């Protein structure tokens, strides 16, 4: 396939008008390498990489935690239709045997035709701080346990790419010491202070789960996890830019504070994404969705009802430069879970996950 005359997003963040060549679902170096001569006219359009959502619980009426393979396949097809070509289904805090069954569906749904590619599993619970549990069920929260993590990872076929950890819980530092070379450890759902968070990062935890949400706020005398993340040059931070979780001024400020290499846009989407207002579930708890806002009965925000492509567009509408927003939805998440050698940019040799969008960021076509 040859994509003609589009403005192709480059690794330096610029757009360059050029042809893009695809052979066997890989970006090819030249037209001579292409055997399929199908041409796509991208005149006047931006050509960007497929998006990478590393934190999403569900969409289109289904949840990863349902442990339903067909439901997960539906999620993957919905995600791809919205420009998300790489995906990490994300679990909630649930009993061990239930998590094993949930994780097994990721293996079974892998390779879903017409769907986003599962690049790994995001294990958001159960190693959380009960005081910052958010929409997670307190009775299933447990102390960090490397053996338990490995048991679940084995059940998934070693697909777990991310695990959320509250660093102020008993055994958290020992957990980081033991497994930080096996999985990306993300700090979150925690009341940890600056010193505790910094120590966790020093030991090897260089990721933050949905920055600002389910943690202590950034205060001038007590900067907490947010301040520690800012000080750690290796730390990457997730941001839910749905217009509800975080004020637009804070989204803009986060990009200024962390730069365009350390912010990761996520959806944190739940099953109501792509659906009408109504009653849904997240991790076995009832959720009410009205005008894209998902809440538990007590008013706690329970994930988002917005897909990653729309979150990226929201960030741009808030004043984040287009290139920074694209990086935060493609390159940065891919780097965070170690798959940037395959996806996240339109470089020669990488998988040809390609989006054609208008200069106003309207998604026109998903290719690859």
């Amino acid at each position: 396939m040859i994509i003609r005359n589009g403005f192709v997003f480059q690794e330096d963040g610029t757009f360059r008008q050029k042809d893009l060549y695809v052979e066997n679902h890989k970006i090819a170096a030249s037209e001579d390498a292409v055997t399929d001569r199908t041409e796509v006219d991208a005149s006047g359009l931006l050509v960007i990489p497929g998006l990478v959502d590393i934190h999403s619980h569900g969409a289109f009426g289904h949840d990863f935690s349902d442990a339903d393979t067909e439901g997960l396949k539906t999620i993957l097809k919905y995600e791809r239709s919205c420009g998300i070509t790489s995906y990490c289904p994300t679990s909630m805090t649930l009993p061990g045997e239930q998590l094993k069954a949930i994780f097994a569906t990721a293996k079974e749904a892998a390779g879903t035709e017409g769907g986003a590619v599962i690049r790994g599993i995001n294990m958001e619970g159960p190693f959380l701080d009960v005081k910052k549990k958010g929409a997670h069920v307190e009775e299933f929260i447990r102390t960090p346990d490397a053996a338990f993590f490995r048991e679940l990872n084995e059940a998934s076929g070693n697909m777990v790419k991310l695990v959320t950890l509250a660093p102020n819980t008993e055994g958290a530092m020992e957990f980081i010491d033991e497994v930080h070379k096996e999985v990306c450890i993300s700090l979150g759902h925690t009341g940890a202070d600056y010193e505790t968070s910094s120590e966790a990062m020093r030991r090897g935890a260089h990721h933050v789960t949905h920055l600002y949400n389910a943690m202590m706020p950034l205060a001038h005398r007590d900067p907490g996890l947010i301040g520690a993340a800012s000080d750690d040059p290796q730390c990457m931070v997730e941001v839910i830019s749905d217009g509800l979780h975080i004020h637009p001024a804070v989204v803009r400020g986060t990009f200024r504070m962390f730069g365009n290499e350390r912010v990761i846009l996520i959806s944190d989407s739940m099953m109501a994404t792509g659906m009408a207002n109504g009653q849904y579930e997240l991790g076995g708890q009832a959720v009410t969705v009205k005008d894209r806002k998902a809440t538990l009965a007590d008013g706690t925000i329970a994930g988002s009802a917005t897909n990653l492509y729309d979150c990226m567009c929201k960030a741009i509408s808030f004043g984040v430069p287009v290139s920074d927003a694209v990086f935060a939805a493609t390159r940065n998440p891919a780097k965070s879970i170690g798959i940037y050698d395959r996806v996240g940019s339109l470089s020669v040799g990488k998988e040809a996950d390609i989006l054609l969008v208008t200069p106003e960021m309207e998604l026109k076509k998903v290719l690859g």
Side-chain angles (χ1 to χ4, degrees):
M1 179 171 61
I2 303 170
I3 303 170
R4 298 283 192 195
N5 304 315
F7 291 88
V8 181
F9 190 67
Q10 306 294 296
E11 287 198 349
D12 64 1
T14 61
F15 287 91
R16 176 183 168 195
Q17 189 169 26
K18 57 180 287 189
D19 295 340
L20 197 65
Y21 310 109
V22 177
E23 177 70 8
N24 294 327
H25 192 61
K26 295 288 180 68
I27 305 295
S30 68
E31 189 168 341
D32 293 339
V34 178
T35 56
D36 177 2
R37 310 301 294 185
T38 301
E39 294 196 7
V40 176
D41 183 11
S43 298
L45 298 176
L46 306 181
V47 184
I48 67 173
L51 306 194
V52 182
D53 195 349
I54 62 170
H55 189 149
S56 165
H57 298 278
F60 216 62
H62 298 277
D63 190 306
F64 178 47
S65 291
D66 292 339
D68 175 13
T69 301
E70 293 305 312
L72 180 53
K73 289 179 179 180
T74 298
I75 294 169
L76 298 174
K77 290 176 182 178
Y78 168 81
E79 295 292 338
R80 189 178 190 279
S81 75
C82 297
I84 296 93
T85 54
S86 294
Y87 187 76
C88 288
T90 304
S91 61
M92 292 291 289
T93 296
L94 294 163
E97 290 305 312
Q98 194 170 340
L99 286 172
K100 284 182 184 179
I102 292 165
F103 286 10
T105 64
K107 290 189 295 183
E108 295 162 2
T112 298
E113 186 175 354
V117 177
I118 296 177
R119 302 293 179 180
I121 292 170
N122 183 338
M123 182 175 161
E124 191 173 359
F127 308 139
L128 313 180
D129 178 350
V130 295
K131 293 182 179 179
K132 290 292 182 180
K133 61 182 173 45
H136 292 255
V137 179
E138 182 173 342
E139 68 178 290
F140 302 133
I141 291 174
R142 56 189 294 168
T143 57
D145 182 338
F148 178 69
F149 158 73
R150 288 176 176 140
E151 184 180 355
L152 290 176
N153 195 25
E154 183 178 352
S156 75
N158 296 312
M159 293 181 70
V160 179
K161 292 287 189 181
L162 280 159
V163 58
T164 295
L165 177 77
N168 58 321
T169 55
E170 181 183 355
M173 297 302 176
E174 292 77 8
F175 181 89
I176 297 170
D177 290 343
E178 188 165 350
V179 307
H180 75 274
K181 293 183 179 179
E182 300 173 30
V183 67
C184 177
I185 298 175
S186 187
L187 304 180
H189 283 279
T190 177
D193 59 16
Y194 175 87
E195 289 73 22
T196 302
S197 301
S198 295
E199 176 65 13
M201 292 174 189
R202 187 189 69 76
R203 290 173 182 249
H206 300 294
H207 193 107
V208 175
T209 300
H210 44 55
L211 190 73
Y212 306 112
N213 300 114
M215 63 189 62
M216 301 304 292
L218 175 65
H220 65 292
R221 292 193 182 93
D222 187 8
L225 174 55
I226 301 166
S230 177
D231 277 352
D232 176 10
Q234 297 182 64
C235 189
M236 304 182 85
V237 296
E238 300 175 355
V239 170
I240 309 170
S241 181
D242 63 352
L244 297 168
H245 279 75
I246 305 171
H247 192 280
V250 178
V251 173
R252 292 190 293 273
T254 302
F255 275 87
R256 288 194 294 269
M257 179 164 56
F258 288 90
N260 70 7
E261 295 189 352
R262 296 206 283 143
V263 178
I264 298 169
L265 292 178
I266 61 165
S267 69
D268 197 16
S269 66
M270 48 87 71
M271 63 163 56
T273 305
M275 305 289 286
N277 289 340
Q279 299 295 314
Y280 298 92
E281 285 191 1
L282 178 64
Q285 298 187 89
V287 175
T288 300
V289 174
K290 183 177 180 181
D291 300 331
R292 296 187 304 105
K293 187 174 184 180
T295 56
L296 300 180
D298 64 2
T300 300
I301 294 180
S304 87
T306 306
N307 66 60
L308 179 59
Y309 191 90
D310 288 343
C311 286
M312 179 182 72
C313 292
K314 276 283 186 185
I316 294 169
S317 75
F318 295 159
V320 174
V322 171
S323 59
D324 290 359
V326 173
F327 278 143
T330 58
R331 178 194 66 186
N332 298 355
K335 282 188 173 182
S336 75
I337 61 170
I339 60 171
Y340 188 59
D341 59 327
R342 289 178 282 158
V343 299
S345 75
L346 298 176
S347 304
V348 172
K350 290 194 177 183
E351 295 182 26
D353 296 331
I354 302 166
L355 309 184
L356 303 185
V357 307
T358 68
E360 296 75 32
M361 300 307 293
E362 178 187 357
L363 178 63
K364 302 301 288 187
K365 188 170 289 189
V366 182
L367 299 172

